[in-house]
Amino acid sequence: MSTAGEEIFSVVHTDAQTFARCGILRTAHGVVHTPAFMPVGTQASIKGLLPHLVEGTGTEIILSNTYHLLLRPKPETVAALGGLHRFMGWHKPILTDSGGFQVFSLAQLTRIEERGAVFRSHLDGSVVELTPERAIEVQEMLGSDIAMVLDHVVALPNERAIIEDAMERSVRWAERCRKTHKRKDQWLFAIVQGGLEPDLRLRCVEKLVQIGFDGYAIGGLSVGESPVEMYRTLDVVAPSLPVDKPRYLMGVGRPIDLLEGIARGVDMFDCVIPTRNGRNAMAFTEAGPLRMRNACHERDPRPMDPTCPCLACTFSRGYIRHLFMAREMLGPILVSLHNIAFYQRVIRQARAAIQSGSFRDFLEQKRAAWSEADLEDDAGR
């Protein structure tokens, strides 16, 4: 919770041709330079990667998840072991998601009531209740630097009445989270819902801003809509959010989605794509994605990306392919590490382009290069 006169977030540079901006977010565990990408450590672990390796990619903040830690090992256990930072050995900032999306996507037999969400655990089928108050209690016990309100997520496309009902409930839940939240060294972010309906999104923004939060997230996207529909929604929502607060696009996305979001004024992103794709042998490169199991890499002595200085790119493509074909765990580890390094490099390049006044040109170059790479990828790389 912010205190009077304390500057949580400051914008230090804005792009003259787009809504892109660079900023500084201050937290109890350090500063985050924005735009920022948060690798996902769902269960207090970036799968397969030691904390110092993640830090070596330039990562300044990571995400962990309330839903998963609520079920296992339980927040009381994490608190007893010194809090989430000590528990997982990551001493930089952490944002915890509230669990709303996981209730929507993972839980079995979910029932949404005004009090909260009642669901069966995907682990053992036990009945669990997650209310706005409980979501905040859990995140305060975890000790994350940024906590998220509990929201009601629905799939897209959907009926307007269903989207509106979920949006209004999300606002009511956000207000209950705000009243419950007491931890002074933890910021609380609200989540804007409303599907692809511009008027519902703007109504949600207005209500959440009236309540007052330390930052504002855009949720309920990347749940079935097309990229074009997502961008249109960002065109409406991002500029309507307070200029002096951080803006966070949840669960997005591909490298081009990050840049399109930045162009529209988004400051923070998270997504499982770099690590999930890494575990499945897809490596992101400046020339487009590589599928490392493909036979064309068998005797290729080149690194995955000659422009990348990460540890994974000290090995040959042939060796990386061998690891996957032999089902050696080092393969997924190396490609996951490389993909996070790639995402962080793209973000750093975007920040530099904003600061130099060349972000629009940078975005156009990436649009063209990655669009062409996607066409090549269809033929197999």
Side-chain angles (χ1 to χ4, degrees):
M1 180 180 293
S2 60
T3 56
E6 185 174 6
E7 189 178 59
I8 297 170
F9 178 74
S10 56
V11 177
V12 297
H13 201 96
T14 55
D15 182 58
Q17 298 177 305
T18 69
F19 289 100
R21 60 198 202 157
C22 294
I24 297 176
L25 173 64
R26 297 167 181 84
T27 79
H29 286 86
V31 164
V32 178
H33 296 88
T34 65
F37 176 77
M38 299 179 283
V40 176
T42 300
Q43 303 189 77
S45 168
I46 311 289
K47 285 185 171 59
L49 301 179
L50 292 167
H52 77 274
L53 294 176
V54 178
E55 185 174 359
T57 66
T59 296
E60 294 182 332
I61 180 172
I62 64 171
L63 178 147
S64 200
N65 185 262
T66 295
Y67 170 90
H68 290 277
L69 297 177
L70 170 64
L71 300 181
R72 182 178 57 194
K74 299 187 184 308
E76 292 82 1
T77 298
V78 175
L81 292 171
L84 188 55
H85 293 83
R86 183 176 297 178
F87 183 63
M88 66 184 296
W90 176 263
H91 302 295
K92 290 193 170 189
I94 300 174
L95 180 148
T96 44
D97 191 1
S98 65
F101 180 78
Q102 285 69 35
V103 170
F104 156 75
S105 62
L106 291 179
Q108 304 166 14
L109 303 176
T110 302
R111 185 174 74 253
I112 301 295
E113 303 172 345
E114 189 59 31
R115 173 175 165 78
V118 180
F119 58 92
R120 289 192 179 276
S121 163
H122 72 288
L123 296 177
D124 58 12
S126 60
V127 176
V128 182
E129 182 182 55
L130 184 61
T131 65
E133 292 79 10
R134 179 59 173 161
I136 295 301
E137 178 188 18
V138 169
Q139 292 179 88
E140 290 190 334
M141 279 192 283
L142 294 175
S144 57
D145 297 271
I146 301 171
M148 303 301 301
V149 301
L150 183 65
D151 60 333
H152 182 183
V153 182
V154 296
L156 297 178
N158 218 318
E159 298 175 18
R160 178 183 168 90
I162 292 175
I163 295 171
E164 184 172 14
D165 180 65
M167 181 275 286
E168 295 287 1
R169 179 170 296 106
S170 293
V171 171
R172 293 192 296 271
W173 284 1
E175 187 167 17
R176 287 164 57 187
C177 288
R178 173 85 281 178
K179 291 177 179 177
T180 302
H181 188 251
K182 298 295 188 293
R183 189 159 181 159
K184 301 294 185 182
D185 60 348
Q186 182 184 65
W187 310 141
L188 181 64
F189 283 19
I191 303 175
V192 178
Q193 291 290 350
L196 304 177
E197 307 291 334
D199 62 315
L200 297 184
R201 288 281 183 174
L202 291 176
R203 190 197 311 170
C204 189
V205 169
E206 182 180 3
K207 292 185 175 185
L208 292 175
V209 171
Q210 287 177 353
I211 298 170
F213 292 89
D214 301 312
Y216 296 87
I218 303 167
L221 293 175
S222 196
V223 290
E225 82 286 355
S226 69
V228 171
E229 289 173 315
M230 177 174 68
Y231 300 156
R232 287 174 182 165
T233 301
L234 292 179
D235 284 333
V236 172
V237 178
S240 71
L241 293 170
V243 174
D244 61 343
K245 303 289 186 181
R247 304 162 178 167
Y248 163 31
L249 177 56
M250 306 182 75
V252 178
R254 302 171 303 160
I256 191 61
D257 295 331
L258 271 60
L259 297 185
E260 296 287 358
I262 290 170
R264 290 160 171 82
V266 175
D267 305 302
M268 301 168 65
F269 305 84
D270 81 278
C271 193
V272 298
I273 284 178
T275 46
R276 179 177 290 170
N277 285 21
R279 294 194 301 276
N280 288 284
M282 176 182 279
F284 290 96
T285 76
E286 290 290 350
L290 298 178
R291 300 182 185 277
M292 296 311 300
R293 289 193 181 95
N294 285 2
C296 62
H297 302 304
E298 183 176 6
R299 298 187 179 183
D300 195 331
R302 295 175 297 169
M304 289 182 290
D305 188 343
T307 69
C308 180
C310 82
L311 174 64
C313 287
T314 63
F315 298 96
S316 69
R317 296 184 186 187
Y319 180 63
I320 299 293
R321 178 180 185 271
H322 158 70
L323 293 174
F324 278 97
M325 301 308 292
R327 298 185 178 181
E328 286 287 342
M329 67 175 68
L330 185 57
I333 288 171
L334 288 175
V335 182
S336 295
L337 178 65
H338 164 74
N339 284 349
I340 292 176
F342 175 81
Y343 268 58
Q344 298 298 1
R345 193 164 78 253
V346 169
I347 288 290
R348 287 195 298 272
Q349 291 170 347
R351 286 202 298 261
I354 295 168
Q355 291 166 355
S356 67
S358 60
F359 180 77
R360 175 171 283 181
D361 291 340
F362 172 74
L363 175 59
E364 291 295 343
Q365 290 169 5
K366 294 302 183 185
R367 281 173 176 164
W370 291 339
S371 176
E372 183 177 338
D374 284 344
L375 292 175
E376 293 178 7
D377 190 49
D378 289 340
R381 287 169 58 90

